Amino acid sequence: MTKYILALDQGTTSSRAIVFDHDGSIVSVAQKEFKQIFPQPGWVEHDPEEIWSTQLGVAAEAITKAGLNTENIHAIGITNQRETTVVWDRNTGKPVYNAIVWQDRRTADFCDELKRKNLHILIQQRTGLVVDAYFSASKVKWILDNVDGARTKAEKGELCFGTIDTWLLWKLTKGQVHATDVSNASRTMLMNLQTLQWDGELEKIFNIPGNMLPQIRSSSEVFGTTQNILTATNIPIAGIAGDQQSALFGQLCTHSGMVKNTYGTGCFMLMNTGEKAVISKNNLLTTVAWKINGKTEYALEGSVFIAGAVVQWLRDGLGIIRSSTDIEKLAAKVTDSDGVYMVPAFTGLGAPYWNQHARGTIVGITRGTTAAHFAKAALDSIAYQTVDVLKAMEADSGIEIKELRVDGGATVNNLLMQFQSDLLNTAVVRPRITETTALGAAYLAGLATGYWNSIDEIQEQWQVDRKFESSMDEEKRETLMNGWKKAVKAAQSY
Ligand SMILES: Nc1ncnc2c1ncn2[C@@H]1O[C@H](COP(=O)(O)OP(=O)(O)O)[C@@H](O)[C@H]1O
Ligand SMILES: O=P(O)(O)OC[C@H](O)CO
C-alpha cells in the first residue's frame, strides 16, 4: 500500500491540511478559514474549539480528496501559528478562555513595566527574545489574572497551558499527551535557550505555575498516536514545529547562513545559525530552529507584523482593488510610487524597530498621486521592511546574504519579487513548492518514522521555480531607501 504524510498547518486565518507523497509533492490540499474575534481595539482572539474542528475537518477532507483512507497515512506532522496561547482544564479538556492570538496587544503595558524594571536584559539573555506582548508568557499571566478562579485552579495543577501545537496534540491523543516541541517552546518567553527547559526565574517573573507547562520535546519524534480520531487506526504524530521554523526546514535551509523569508499576513525572515545561538545586537530574535536526533539548531529571526495584510487593507479598507491579485496589475500602471511611501505600522512596528506606539503612515502625496501609486507604495512597503530586517541580520551574523529563498501567499506577485531583489541587490529565489511550511512539518514527521532516511535524501527535492536578479543601480537604491527611512521616522512620531 502506498503511504503518504499528512501535514496539519494551523495558521492565523485558516486551518490547512496537505497530503504529501514520497517525492515531497503535494497530493491534495484542504483549507478552511475561521472566525477572528476582536473584543476590543488591539485584542485578537480565536475560539480553540473552532481551531480544532476546522483542523480536523480539513484533515479528513484532504485525505478524501486524495482518494485515500487513513491507512495510507504513514505519519502526521503539525505546524502552527506560534505564540498564540490556550489555557484549558486538565480534567474536562475545556478551554477557560479564548485563545489569545500572537497579534494581541492587551499585555503591552505589562511588558513596558518589565522594561522599566530593566528585566528585558535578563529576559533577552535567557530566551533570545525582545520583551513584547507578541510572546505567550504575558498572555498566560493575563488569563490567570483575569479569568475567575483560573489562578487558584492553576496552582492546584488543574490547568494546562499550550501553544496551538500542544492544543492539537492534546485533542488528537484525547488528552493523553501534554507536550510541545523546542521551536514552539522558544516562542513562549518561558524557555531557557541553553538548557531547552522551562526557566524557574522566568516562571516567577510572569507568575506562572510550572505545573501547567507542557513537556518540551524534540521537533522530530513520535509524540503519541491518534486515538479514534479520523479513524480507528492509530496514526503517529511524529513532527512538530512552529510555522516559521517549519518553513525554514521546508525550504531546506539546513546549513548555517541559509535564509528564507515568508510573505504571508506578516513577513518572517529566518537565518539558520547552526548549533550556535547568536544573541542579536540589532533587535532580532534568537530562536530554536529545530531539534532533530539530539542536535539542536538555532535561527536569527526578523518578525514584521504587517506584510500581505497591507494588500488586504487596500482591498477591504480602502476598496481600491477587488482581490489581492489585482494589486499587481494596478501597481504596474506606474513605473514607481513617485515619492509616495506607505508604512503599514497598523499594530506598531516589529523588527528591527519594536515600537508598539508607531502607527500606519503615508507620506509624499501630491495632486498627481493616483490609486496606482498607492498600490505600488503598499507593495514596496513589504520589500522595504524586508530590507531593514535583512540588513540587521547581516550585521548580527557577519554574513553577506547572497540568496533569499522566499515563500508564502504574496510571493506569487512577480512585481514585488523583482522589486525585492532590486532593493536588496540579492537574488530572490522562489521554489517550485511554496507550501514550505506544511512541507517542513511533513519532513519532520517522515524523518522520525523512517519514511525518509536522512536530510540528505530530501535535499534533492527542493527545486527552483524562478530566480529574480537585481537590475537597479546603486544610486537609485540609496535614494529610495533614504525616502523610506524618513517615512519610518514619521510613523514613529506619535
Ligand atoms: N498577488 C498578491 N500580491 C500581494 N499579496 C498577495 C497576493 N495574493 C495574496 N497576497 C497576500 O498574501 C497573504 C496570504 O498569504 P498566506 O501565506 O496564506 O498567509 P497566512 O499564512 O499568514 O494566512 C494575504 O495577506 C494576501 O493579502
Ligand atoms: O499564521 P501565520 O502564517 O500568519 O504565522 C504567524 C506566526 O507564526 C506568528 O509568529
Side-chain angles (χ1 to χ4, degrees), residues 103-128:
Q103 297 156 317
D104 191 290
R105 312 302 307 169
R106 79 185 65 183
T107 55
D109 288 344
F110 173 71
C111 291
D112 281 343
E113 203 180 305
L114 292 177
K115 286 187 224 161
R116 273 197 302 277
K117 290 182 184 160
N118 264 333
L119 283 165
H120 59 290
I121 300 163
L122 176 136
I123 292 174
Q124 196 202 15
Q125 280 165 353
R126 294 280 168 90
T127 66

Side-chain angles (χ1 to χ4, degrees), residues 1 74 79 104 108 141 170 188 192 225 230 248 250 293 295 315 330 353 384 409 422 426 466:
M1 186 194 304
H74 183 81
T79 181
D104 191 290
K141 181 182 188 305
W170 172 275
T188 58
N192 185 308
T225 57
L230 295 168
L248 188 71
N293 287 336
K295 185 170 145 194
R315 186 192 61 193
L330 182 58
Y353 304 101
Y384 285 122
D422 286 342
T426 294
R466 188 164 162 186

Side-chain angles (χ1 to χ4, degrees), residues 311-331:
V311 179
Q312 289 168 329
W313 177 67
L314 254 63
R315 186 192 61 193
D316 308 333
L318 288 186
I320 61 172
I321 49 172
R322 248 196 278 156
S323 77
S324 304
T325 40
D326 293 345
I327 193 166
E328 191 166 354
K329 232 192 299 154
L330 182 58

Side-chain angles (χ1 to χ4, degrees), residues 201-266:
E201 209 169 336
L202 295 172
E203 286 169 17
K204 268 197 212 117
I205 290 173
F206 289 96
N207 199 10
I208 295 170
N211 60 19
M212 70 187 296
L213 304 178
Q215 185 191 18
I216 302 175
R217 295 171 61 173
S218 80
S219 316
S220 183
E221 64 176 66
V222 177
F223 288 80
T225 57
T226 55
Q227 300 295 315
N228 296 317
I229 301 280
L230 295 168
T231 175
T233 322
N234 292 345
I235 310 169
I237 300 136
I240 296 185
D243 57 7
Q244 302 309 322
Q245 288 94 332
S246 190
L248 188 71
F249 199 67
Q251 285 274 22
L252 288 162
C253 292
T254 50
H255 297 292
S256 182
M258 293 180 83
V259 189
K260 72 88 199 179
N261 196 26
T262 300
Y263 297 74
T265 307

Side-chain angles (χ1 to χ4, degrees), residues 243-355:
D243 57 7
Q244 302 309 322
Q245 288 94 332
S246 190
L248 188 71
F249 199 67
Q251 285 274 22
L252 288 162
C253 292
T254 50
H255 297 292
S256 182
M258 293 180 83
V259 189
K260 72 88 199 179
N261 196 26
T262 300
Y263 297 74
T265 307
C267 250
F268 298 89
M269 189 188 295
L270 272 76
M271 173 191 273
N272 182 327
T273 60
E275 291 177 73
K276 194 164 160 225
V278 177
I279 295 293
S280 176
K281 293 192 173 66
N282 295 284
N283 289 326
L284 299 178
L285 308 174
T286 310
T287 202
V288 174
W290 46 73
K291 182 177 177 184
I292 304 172
N293 287 336
K295 185 170 145 194
T296 305
E297 297 198 65
Y298 294 87
L300 268 173
E301 172 174 327
S303 326
V304 167
F305 297 148
I306 302 290
V310 74
V311 179
Q312 289 168 329
W313 177 67
L314 254 63
R315 186 192 61 193
D316 308 333
L318 288 186
I320 61 172
I321 49 172
R322 248 196 278 156
S323 77
S324 304
T325 40
D326 293 345
I327 193 166
E328 191 166 354
K329 232 192 299 154
L330 182 58
K333 286 187 178 165
V334 289
T335 48
D336 58 39
S337 70
D338 197 23
V340 177
Y341 288 90
M342 192 178 284
V343 185
F346 303 151
T347 53
L349 284 169
Y353 304 101
W354 297 105
N355 183 340

Side-chain angles (χ1 to χ4, degrees), residues 25-46:
S25 297
I26 294 173
V27 180
S28 67
V29 183
Q31 174 169 10
K32 192 155 174 48
E33 290 195 5
F34 55 85
K35 204 164 62 228
Q36 305 292 313
I37 305 164
F38 306 109
Q40 289 188 31
W43 291 29
V44 190
E45 297 178 0
H46 293 156

